[in-house]
Amino acid sequence: MKKNILLIIGPCAAESREQIAASIKEVKKRKLDFMRINLWKPRTRPGFEGLGKMGLPLIADAAKKGVNPAAEVILPKHAEMIIKTTLDASKTANVMLWIGARNQNHYIQQEIARVVKGEKRAFLMIKNQPWRSIDHWEGIIDHVVHAGISTDQLYVCHRGFTPQGENNPLNLRNIPDFEMAMQMRNKLKLPMIFDPSHIGGTVENVIKVSNEAAKYSFDGLIVEVHPNPLKAITDAKQQLTWDQFDKLSRPIAS
Ligand code: PEP
Ligand code: MN
């Protein structure tokens, strides 16, 4: 049976009111589950780190227009601000927060989970850490569950592991481990979302890894799509156009 997969789609980072307004229209047209409206960006080197608090009105705009926001939270106060903004703006909108690959401080992970806990319209997605270790990845889930969040509020996301000199003919940005992701999914009984954008690193590779991932039982996709990818401030090479997204392979297995 074909299942409904969860789709979290939108630009790498929120950049401007115009960019978010254009994205909201496309997300609404396709009735997607969540839209990426990312206000805080971990960066390898100092640079554009996101709109931060200044971007909260964009979250409110989306929620008012019936679009559910999704965003990375680096600190507990980010989770507080995004949840409050969404709930104040709309009586029905849901909000997806995620802990990114680089945010590997378990005190902070637990604090974020405490903020999300008990808020029925808020969900938390745990991305894998950058280095390959199923034990560490499971440990993050253990930490947030230990902090009291309900497993009904939890999602897991595979975004690949930093290349460590292994065979990488496509020159992927991060190396997927599909078997590990499926092992986690079966053991934890949590929905497993796939992130082809941060694995692929280029549009061509995003399409290729999505074709590969379609053979596995992922429960959803998080994909970077930008109204004008070449002008994107962050991750310009990997962001799809809406046409490219419409043609992207999607997991169909149950
Ligand atoms: C992101 O999804 O915006 C992101 C930074 O991804 P990751 O934490 O997987 O690097
Ligand atoms: Mn990105």
Side-chain angles (χ1 to χ4, degrees), residues 11-13 36 38 41 173 197-198 224 234-235 238-239:
C12 174
R36 286 181 62 111
N38 225 355
K41 299 293 303 168
R173 182 172 175 187
S197 301
H198 294 90
E224 290 184 348
T234 56
D235 285 350
Q238 71 193 30
Q239 301 206 54

Side-chain angles (χ1 to χ4, degrees), residues 33-72:
D33 301 292
F34 289 93
M35 176 173 146
R36 286 181 62 111
I37 308 180
N38 225 355
L39 303 183
W40 289 279
K41 299 293 303 168
R43 301 300 306 271
T44 306
R45 291 171 199 275
F48 174 70
E49 290 172 16
L51 298 177
K53 265 198 278 196
M54 306 279 288
L56 289 169
L58 304 180
I59 301 261
D61 279 356
K64 280 183 194 144
K65 290 181 179 152
V67 166
N68 299 315
E72 172 162 359

Side-chain angles (χ1 to χ4, degrees), residues 71-245:
E72 172 162 359
V73 287
I74 300 175
L75 296 171
K77 67 177 180 189
H78 299 160
E80 280 166 15
M81 287 189 270
I82 292 184
I83 292 175
K84 183 173 185 328
T85 301
T86 306
L87 301 194
D88 287 353
S90 158
K91 289 201 161 52
T92 52
N94 291 328
V95 57
M96 173 73 77
L97 305 174
W98 75 83
I99 295 178
R102 303 178 207 207
N103 199 358
Q104 297 308 320
N105 174 327
H106 74 263
Y107 292 98
I108 288 180
Q109 293 167 347
Q110 292 191 7
E111 280 303 313
I112 290 171
R114 283 188 194 105
V115 173
V116 180
K117 168 182 132 182
E119 180 42 67
K120 286 194 171 42
R121 289 199 266 142
F123 299 87
L124 183 64
M125 182 165 78
I126 308 297
K127 284 189 156 202
N128 66 262
Q129 74 288 344
W131 60 94
R132 189 185 298 259
S133 159
I134 193 165
D135 196 42
H136 183 99
W137 193 6
E138 279 182 27
I140 314 170
I141 316 290
D142 283 353
H143 278 302
V144 296
V145 169
H146 180 73
I149 195 166
S150 157
T151 50
D152 294 342
Q153 290 177 282
L154 278 183
Y155 289 80
V156 190
C157 173
H158 188 39
R159 51 76 82 200
F161 298 111
T162 306
Q164 296 290 334
E166 62 272 77
N167 197 16
N168 185 8
L170 295 179
N171 200 19
L172 297 176
R173 182 172 175 187
N174 288 291
I175 309 292
D177 189 331
F178 294 111
E179 304 302 332
M180 188 194 289
M182 290 299 111
Q183 199 182 325
M184 284 274 288
R185 176 180 185 263
N186 296 338
K187 182 168 171 191
L188 301 176
K189 309 263 179 283
L190 292 174
M192 178 63 71
I193 310 301
F194 185 67
D195 176 347
S197 301
H198 294 90
I199 291 177
T202 63
V203 168
E204 202 186 344
N205 278 343
V206 171
I207 294 167
K208 284 186 184 159
V209 296
S210 298
N211 290 339
E212 188 63 19
K215 300 175 195 157
Y216 294 86
S217 300
F218 285 102
D219 302 283
L221 292 175
I222 176 165
V223 185
E224 290 184 348
V225 179
H226 192 286
N228 189 351
L230 297 178
K231 291 265 169 67
I233 302 177
T234 56
D235 285 350
K237 284 195 300 193
Q238 71 193 30
Q239 301 206 54
L240 306 185
T241 62
W242 285 102
D243 278 353
Q244 287 165 333
F245 168 71

